[in-house]
Amino acid sequence: MVVKKLEKVSYEDALEMTGFGKFNYLMLALVGSMIMGMASEIFSVSFLVTASACELATVSSQQALIAGTPLVGIIASSHFWGYLADTQGRRKILSVSLLTGFGAGFLATFSPNWIVYMLLKFASSCGVAGTYALALTLLGECTPHTKRTTMIAYTTSIFLICTGSMAIITIPVLPLTFSYYIPYLNIHFNSWRLLNIIYCIPCALSGLGVLKSYESPKYLLSVGEEDKALEILRGINAINNGKDAEFKVMSVTLDEDRKATDVVGLWASLKSQTTPLLKPPLLKKTLLLSLLFIIVYFCLNPYMVWLPYIADGMMRAIERDDSNITFCQMLQTSLDVTKTQTANCGLDQTAMIMVFCIDVFMAILNLILTTIMTCTGRKTLLISLQLLSGVAGLLVNLSSSWIVSNILFIIYVSGVLNFGFLATFVVDVFPTYVKAMAVCLCLMVGRGSSVLGINILKALLTDHCQLSFYGFAGLAIVGGLISFLLPSDLKKKKNVEP
């Protein structure tokens, strides 16, 4: 029987014909490792700020600056990484990004003071700034449309499990009492510096691992490399369906409009790559998604950054039997006690287990929500989660039961799951030639708002805790209402008949 070859098949249909199987799960694992590397570097400050406080002699305001520094680094360089990925390719830029983050993060281990540590963390965050956005772009462009939203949503669970695991790692490492003096730097190499090195390792491993992967065939097609794109699609087909499975597509079309740009120079090229996002017909999508990223990141990400601090305060209050007061009163009593214990720079081990459990719970919840998303639709799910999160945040301090208030707090911070659901919209609605730039830009403005939120929240938790919940949760509800403007879920494309 002669197998009929197919000419001029659209990219989405050709990708669908490669099937869904081993390759896609391997790609998810690779993207997961890259997200793990990014998270370990960016969120390490959540644990190391407190652990290093005694040696680096930092006060609350300085700790807030250090905690916000990684997000400043992301803001400073995300746009540039997005441009590089759209012009130089996803795979190569991801490797450079991760290895740069590892190098600067490793050097931060030997910081003699908090300023040097902050600057090196800024450099490392500049390195990994594009990792999350570019990894999602690569995953989306290599996954069939029918499974794309689900696979991207799964990355949120990977991210949460990673941040939870970071809390568990502190338990055996931070209590270690060794201390080796390094005369040249006038520092003591001790447990928190060892922990910093451990947090750097995933960046190095994933940076090397991505070099062994395929480039995005959709990117290659967008730059006119059709033969290479077809070769990769055949490779994906072979991995998913066996080496003997024939890929019947002879030619692939992108089915996307792209304006021809003939520019010379880095800044002119960068401008030409950004301009389409700020002009019709993409302007409305850019503004709406950027606004939602700003609201979600401002309202929820600061609580995730300070989650170790919050959990530590809660557990110390419970251990002192100060549990029949409101959530904010428990935090305040712990802060008052800590001020009288100048040598208290550790993290409560039970609190770290609590952080791990919260992150694992949200990871499992994300898997459940991702599963039911096919029935409810992602827009409905995103709006429901955002509104529920905001209402729970408003109610946190209305109960004097620590169990009830903690449950409400967990429901509130579960709104971070919308990071992943929002990302699926960005990956879907923007064309290939500006996709990486669009994802980086949306994440950049979101994380920019998060820097402001981190510093505001730390000050409010210290002096006006209840106001922080009313303000941040109220804005979260506003974000849920604005989400009604999002486009409806995209219809699945019909598969090409064999």
Side-chain angles (χ1 to χ4, degrees), residues 34-68:
M34 291 187 277
I35 290 174
M36 184 179 298
M38 179 278 300
S40 297
E41 187 55 42
I42 296 296
F43 288 90
S44 62
V45 293
S46 299
F47 305 93
L48 294 172
V49 157
T50 302
S52 64
C54 289
E55 183 176 355
L56 300 183
T58 54
V59 297
S60 180
S61 58
Q62 294 166 343
Q63 291 170 18
L65 284 174
I66 297 173

mmCIF file of all heavy atoms in Angstrom, residues 34-68:
data_model
loop_
_atom_site.group_PDB
_atom_site.id
_atom_site.type_symbol
_atom_site.label_atom_id
_atom_site.label_comp_id
_atom_site.label_asym_id
_atom_site.label_seq_id
_atom_site.Cartn_x
_atom_site.Cartn_y
_atom_site.Cartn_z
ATOM 1 N N MET A 34 14.795 23.374 34.116
ATOM 2 C CA MET A 34 15.170 24.774 33.913
ATOM 3 C C MET A 34 14.417 25.688 34.874
ATOM 4 O O MET A 34 14.990 26.640 35.429
ATOM 5 C CB MET A 34 14.908 25.183 32.464
ATOM 6 C CG MET A 34 15.842 24.527 31.461
ATOM 7 S SD MET A 34 15.650 25.172 29.780
ATOM 8 C CE MET A 34 14.260 24.208 29.197
ATOM 9 N N ILE A 35 13.142 25.391 35.078
ATOM 10 C CA ILE A 35 12.351 26.169 36.030
ATOM 11 C C ILE A 35 12.894 25.972 37.440
ATOM 12 O O ILE A 35 12.953 26.911 38.247
ATOM 13 C CB ILE A 35 10.871 25.763 35.946
ATOM 14 C CG1 ILE A 35 10.276 26.249 34.614
ATOM 15 C CG2 ILE A 35 10.065 26.337 37.118
ATOM 16 C CD1 ILE A 35 8.868 25.776 34.353
ATOM 17 N N MET A 36 13.328 24.747 37.746
ATOM 18 C CA MET A 36 13.929 24.465 39.047
ATOM 19 C C MET A 36 15.198 25.297 39.241
ATOM 20 O O MET A 36 15.452 25.849 40.319
ATOM 21 C CB MET A 36 14.254 22.982 39.156
ATOM 22 C CG MET A 36 14.794 22.557 40.509
ATOM 23 S SD MET A 36 15.134 20.777 40.576
ATOM 24 C CE MET A 36 13.485 20.126 40.287
ATOM 25 N N GLY A 37 16.017 25.391 38.178
ATOM 26 C CA GLY A 37 17.233 26.194 38.271
ATOM 27 C C GLY A 37 16.928 27.664 38.495
ATOM 28 O O GLY A 37 17.547 28.319 39.339
ATOM 29 N N MET A 38 15.950 28.185 37.761
ATOM 30 C CA MET A 38 15.548 29.581 37.928
ATOM 31 C C MET A 38 15.002 29.835 39.325
ATOM 32 O O MET A 38 15.400 30.785 40.008
ATOM 33 C CB MET A 38 14.496 29.933 36.868
ATOM 34 C CG MET A 38 13.949 31.346 36.925
ATOM 35 S SD MET A 38 12.623 31.631 38.140
ATOM 36 C CE MET A 38 11.369 30.484 37.585
ATOM 37 N N ALA A 39 14.092 28.966 39.773
ATOM 38 C CA ALA A 39 13.464 29.159 41.082
ATOM 39 C C ALA A 39 14.492 29.066 42.211
ATOM 40 O O ALA A 39 14.447 29.844 43.170
ATOM 41 C CB ALA A 39 12.360 28.119 41.283
ATOM 42 N N SER A 40 15.412 28.120 42.093
ATOM 43 C CA SER A 40 16.425 27.938 43.148
ATOM 44 C C SER A 40 17.295 29.172 43.292
ATOM 45 O O SER A 40 17.725 29.516 44.400
ATOM 46 C CB SER A 40 17.300 26.716 42.833
ATOM 47 O OG SER A 40 16.530 25.537 42.826
ATOM 48 N N GLU A 41 17.556 29.844 42.183
ATOM 49 C CA GLU A 41 18.397 31.033 42.235
ATOM 50 C C GLU A 41 17.609 32.265 42.681
ATOM 51 O O GLU A 41 18.044 33.021 43.549
ATOM 52 C CB GLU A 41 19.032 31.274 40.865
ATOM 53 C CG GLU A 41 20.057 32.392 40.855
ATOM 54 C CD GLU A 41 21.157 32.180 41.881
ATOM 55 O OE1 GLU A 41 21.638 31.036 42.018
ATOM 56 O OE2 GLU A 41 21.524 33.161 42.558
ATOM 57 N N ILE A 42 16.423 32.454 42.113
ATOM 58 C CA ILE A 42 15.638 33.652 42.413
ATOM 59 C C ILE A 42 15.096 33.621 43.840
ATOM 60 O O ILE A 42 15.164 34.619 44.576
ATOM 61 C CB ILE A 42 14.473 33.793 41.414
ATOM 62 C CG1 ILE A 42 14.998 34.012 39.997
ATOM 63 C CG2 ILE A 42 13.548 34.938 41.835
ATOM 64 C CD1 ILE A 42 15.765 35.280 39.812
ATOM 65 N N PHE A 43 14.539 32.483 44.273
ATOM 66 C CA PHE A 43 13.859 32.410 45.566
ATOM 67 C C PHE A 43 14.772 31.960 46.704
ATOM 68 O O PHE A 43 14.320 31.826 47.839
ATOM 69 C CB PHE A 43 12.636 31.495 45.466
ATOM 70 C CG PHE A 43 11.505 32.101 44.689
ATOM 71 C CD1 PHE A 43 11.409 31.919 43.324
ATOM 72 C CD2 PHE A 43 10.566 32.900 45.308
ATOM 73 C CE1 PHE A 43 10.379 32.503 42.586
ATOM 74 C CE2 PHE A 43 9.535 33.486 44.593
ATOM 75 C CZ PHE A 43 9.449 33.286 43.228
ATOM 76 N N SER A 44 16.037 31.736 46.399
ATOM 77 C CA SER A 44 16.974 31.380 47.475
ATOM 78 C C SER A 44 17.072 32.482 48.509
ATOM 79 O O SER A 44 17.287 32.217 49.702
ATOM 80 C CB SER A 44 18.363 31.088 46.888
ATOM 81 O OG SER A 44 18.887 32.244 46.241
ATOM 82 N N VAL A 45 16.875 33.740 48.074
ATOM 83 C CA VAL A 45 16.985 34.850 49.020
ATOM 84 C C VAL A 45 15.904 34.782 50.103
ATOM 85 O O VAL A 45 16.089 35.309 51.206
ATOM 86 C CB VAL A 45 16.906 36.209 48.291
ATOM 87 C CG1 VAL A 45 18.111 36.428 47.407
ATOM 88 C CG2 VAL A 45 15.623 36.324 47.479
ATOM 89 N N SER A 46 14.782 34.133 49.798
ATOM 90 C CA SER A 46 13.710 34.017 50.792
ATOM 91 C C SER A 46 14.201 33.291 52.042
ATOM 92 O O SER A 46 13.736 33.559 53.150
ATOM 93 C CB SER A 46 12.517 33.260 50.195
ATOM 94 O OG SER A 46 11.989 33.942 49.087
ATOM 95 N N PHE A 47 15.140 32.378 51.847
ATOM 96 C CA PHE A 47 15.676 31.602 52.970
ATOM 97 C C PHE A 47 17.023 32.163 53.443
ATOM 98 O O PHE A 47 17.308 32.193 54.644
ATOM 99 C CB PHE A 47 15.858 30.136 52.556
ATOM 100 C CG PHE A 47 14.598 29.509 52.026
ATOM 101 C CD1 PHE A 47 14.323 29.499 50.667
ATOM 102 C CD2 PHE A 47 13.673 28.943 52.896
ATOM 103 C CE1 PHE A 47 13.149 28.923 50.175
ATOM 104 C CE2 PHE A 47 12.503 28.371 52.413
ATOM 105 C CZ PHE A 47 12.246 28.365 51.055
ATOM 106 N N LEU A 48 17.840 32.630 52.507
ATOM 107 C CA LEU A 48 19.197 33.053 52.859
ATOM 108 C C LEU A 48 19.239 34.428 53.512
ATOM 109 O O LEU A 48 20.173 34.732 54.240
ATOM 110 C CB LEU A 48 20.067 33.047 51.601
ATOM 111 C CG LEU A 48 20.306 31.659 50.997
ATOM 112 C CD1 LEU A 48 21.007 31.773 49.648
ATOM 113 C CD2 LEU A 48 21.125 30.793 51.944
ATOM 114 N N VAL A 49 18.240 35.272 53.241
ATOM 115 C CA VAL A 49 18.212 36.604 53.865
ATOM 116 C C VAL A 49 18.194 36.478 55.382
ATOM 117 O O VAL A 49 18.938 37.167 56.094
ATOM 118 C CB VAL A 49 16.994 37.404 53.360
ATOM 119 C CG1 VAL A 49 16.623 38.496 54.337
ATOM 120 C CG2 VAL A 49 17.289 38.015 52.008
ATOM 121 N N THR A 50 17.339 35.598 55.891
ATOM 122 C CA THR A 50 17.265 35.401 57.340
ATOM 123 C C THR A 50 18.466 34.639 57.858
ATOM 124 O O THR A 50 19.041 34.984 58.901
ATOM 125 C CB THR A 50 15.976 34.635 57.703
ATOM 126 O OG1 THR A 50 14.845 35.367 57.226
ATOM 127 C CG2 THR A 50 15.860 34.458 59.212
ATOM 128 N N ALA A 51 18.881 33.595 57.134
ATOM 129 C CA ALA A 51 19.984 32.749 57.591
ATOM 130 C C ALA A 51 21.310 33.507 57.649
ATOM 131 O O ALA A 51 22.175 33.202 58.475
ATOM 132 C CB ALA A 51 20.113 31.540 56.666
ATOM 133 N N SER A 52 21.474 34.506 56.774
ATOM 134 C CA SER A 52 22.729 35.259 56.733
ATOM 135 C C SER A 52 22.680 36.536 57.554
ATOM 136 O O SER A 52 23.666 37.274 57.606
ATOM 137 C CB SER A 52 23.070 35.613 55.282
ATOM 138 O OG SER A 52 22.080 36.480 54.744
ATOM 139 N N ALA A 53 21.563 36.818 58.194
ATOM 140 C CA ALA A 53 21.359 38.115 58.862
ATOM 141 C C ALA A 53 22.401 38.401 59.932
ATOM 142 O O ALA A 53 22.861 39.538 60.070
ATOM 143 C CB ALA A 53 19.957 38.170 59.458
ATOM 144 N N CYS A 54 22.785 37.394 60.700
ATOM 145 C CA CYS A 54 23.747 37.625 61.782
ATOM 146 C C CYS A 54 25.137 37.944 61.240
ATOM 147 O O CYS A 54 25.773 38.914 61.662
ATOM 148 C CB CYS A 54 23.806 36.401 62.694
ATOM 149 S SG CYS A 54 22.324 36.192 63.701
ATOM 150 N N GLU A 55 25.606 37.134 60.288
ATOM 151 C CA GLU A 55 26.959 37.342 59.770
ATOM 152 C C GLU A 55 27.069 38.623 58.952
ATOM 153 O O GLU A 55 28.054 39.354 59.043
ATOM 154 C CB GLU A 55 27.402 36.150 58.923
ATOM 155 C CG GLU A 55 28.840 36.292 58.430
ATOM 156 C CD GLU A 55 29.326 35.079 57.664
ATOM 157 O OE1 GLU A 55 28.599 34.069 57.588
ATOM 158 O OE2 GLU A 55 30.446 35.143 57.125
ATOM 159 N N LEU A 56 26.047 38.906 58.130
ATOM 160 C CA LEU A 56 26.083 40.099 57.286
ATOM 161 C C LEU A 56 25.519 41.331 57.984
ATOM 162 O O LEU A 56 25.539 42.427 57.422
ATOM 163 C CB LEU A 56 25.312 39.847 55.987
ATOM 164 C CG LEU A 56 25.822 38.695 55.107
ATOM 165 C CD1 LEU A 56 25.011 38.604 53.825
ATOM 166 C CD2 LEU A 56 27.300 38.865 54.788
ATOM 167 N N ALA A 57 25.005 41.139 59.209
ATOM 168 C CA ALA A 57 24.510 42.244 60.049
ATOM 169 C C ALA A 57 23.457 43.094 59.331
ATOM 170 O O ALA A 57 23.556 44.324 59.256
ATOM 171 C CB ALA A 57 25.675 43.114 60.510
ATOM 172 N N THR A 58 22.438 42.442 58.780
ATOM 173 C CA THR A 58 21.388 43.155 58.056
ATOM 174 C C THR A 58 20.198 43.440 58.956
ATOM 175 O O THR A 58 19.847 42.646 59.826
ATOM 176 C CB THR A 58 20.913 42.337 56.837
ATOM 177 O OG1 THR A 58 20.521 41.026 57.262
ATOM 178 C CG2 THR A 58 22.018 42.212 55.805
ATOM 179 N N VAL A 59 19.570 44.580 58.716
ATOM 180 C CA VAL A 59 18.342 44.939 59.421
ATOM 181 C C VAL A 59 17.163 44.703 58.469
ATOM 182 O O VAL A 59 17.340 44.340 57.308
ATOM 183 C CB VAL A 59 18.379 46.406 59.887
ATOM 184 C CG1 VAL A 59 19.502 46.605 60.888
ATOM 185 C CG2 VAL A 59 18.539 47.346 58.692
ATOM 186 N N SER A 60 15.947 44.941 58.938
ATOM 187 C CA SER A 60 14.749 44.615 58.169
ATOM 188 C C SER A 60 14.717 45.299 56.806
ATOM 189 O O SER A 60 14.388 44.676 55.792
ATOM 190 C CB SER A 60 13.492 44.996 58.974
ATOM 191 O OG SER A 60 12.317 44.695 58.254
ATOM 192 N N SER A 61 15.063 46.591 56.757
ATOM 193 C CA SER A 61 15.005 47.322 55.484
ATOM 194 C C SER A 61 16.026 46.782 54.492
ATOM 195 O O SER A 61 15.759 46.687 53.279
ATOM 196 C CB SER A 61 15.250 48.812 55.719
ATOM 197 O OG SER A 61 16.512 49.020 56.337
ATOM 198 N N GLN A 62 17.205 46.411 54.989
ATOM 199 C CA GLN A 62 18.229 45.837 54.114
ATOM 200 C C GLN A 62 17.815 44.459 53.611
ATOM 201 O O GLN A 62 18.064 44.097 52.452
ATOM 202 C CB GLN A 62 19.563 45.767 54.857
ATOM 203 C CG GLN A 62 20.142 47.133 55.183
ATOM 204 C CD GLN A 62 21.262 47.064 56.207
ATOM 205 O OE1 GLN A 62 21.437 46.075 56.922
ATOM 206 N NE2 GLN A 62 22.040 48.137 56.281
ATOM 207 N N GLN A 63 17.160 43.684 54.466
ATOM 208 C CA GLN A 63 16.681 42.367 54.061
ATOM 209 C C GLN A 63 15.618 42.491 52.965
ATOM 210 O O GLN A 63 15.582 41.687 52.030
ATOM 211 C CB GLN A 63 16.114 41.627 55.274
ATOM 212 C CG GLN A 63 17.160 41.227 56.294
ATOM 213 C CD GLN A 63 16.548 40.709 57.590
ATOM 214 O OE1 GLN A 63 15.378 40.343 57.625
ATOM 215 N NE2 GLN A 63 17.340 40.700 58.649
ATOM 216 N N ALA A 64 14.772 43.510 53.077
ATOM 217 C CA ALA A 64 13.762 43.732 52.041
ATOM 218 C C ALA A 64 14.407 44.097 50.712
ATOM 219 O O ALA A 64 13.962 43.654 49.646
ATOM 220 C CB ALA A 64 12.793 44.829 52.474
ATOM 221 N N LEU A 65 15.481 44.886 50.750
ATOM 222 C CA LEU A 65 16.202 45.235 49.529
ATOM 223 C C LEU A 65 16.802 43.997 48.879
ATOM 224 O O LEU A 65 16.720 43.817 47.655
ATOM 225 C CB LEU A 65 17.306 46.250 49.837
ATOM 226 C CG LEU A 65 16.874 47.699 50.072
ATOM 227 C CD1 LEU A 65 18.065 48.541 50.497
ATOM 228 C CD2 LEU A 65 16.249 48.274 48.807
ATOM 229 N N ILE A 66 17.426 43.140 49.688
ATOM 230 C CA ILE A 66 18.035 41.920 49.151
ATOM 231 C C ILE A 66 16.965 41.009 48.557
ATOM 232 O O ILE A 66 17.139 40.441 47.475
ATOM 233 C CB ILE A 66 18.817 41.173 50.251
ATOM 234 C CG1 ILE A 66 19.983 42.029 50.756
ATOM 235 C CG2 ILE A 66 19.354 39.843 49.714
ATOM 236 C CD1 ILE A 66 20.698 41.436 51.965
ATOM 237 N N ALA A 67 15.840 40.884 49.262
ATOM 238 C CA ALA A 67 14.765 40.007 48.795
ATOM 239 C C ALA A 67 14.183 40.480 47.477
ATOM 240 O O ALA A 67 13.755 39.661 46.643
ATOM 241 C CB ALA A 67 13.667 39.919 49.851
ATOM 242 N N GLY A 68 14.151 41.791 47.264
ATOM 243 C CA GLY A 68 13.589 42.328 46.027
ATOM 244 C C GLY A 68 14.574 42.411 44.883
ATOM 245 O O GLY A 68 14.177 42.563 43.723
#
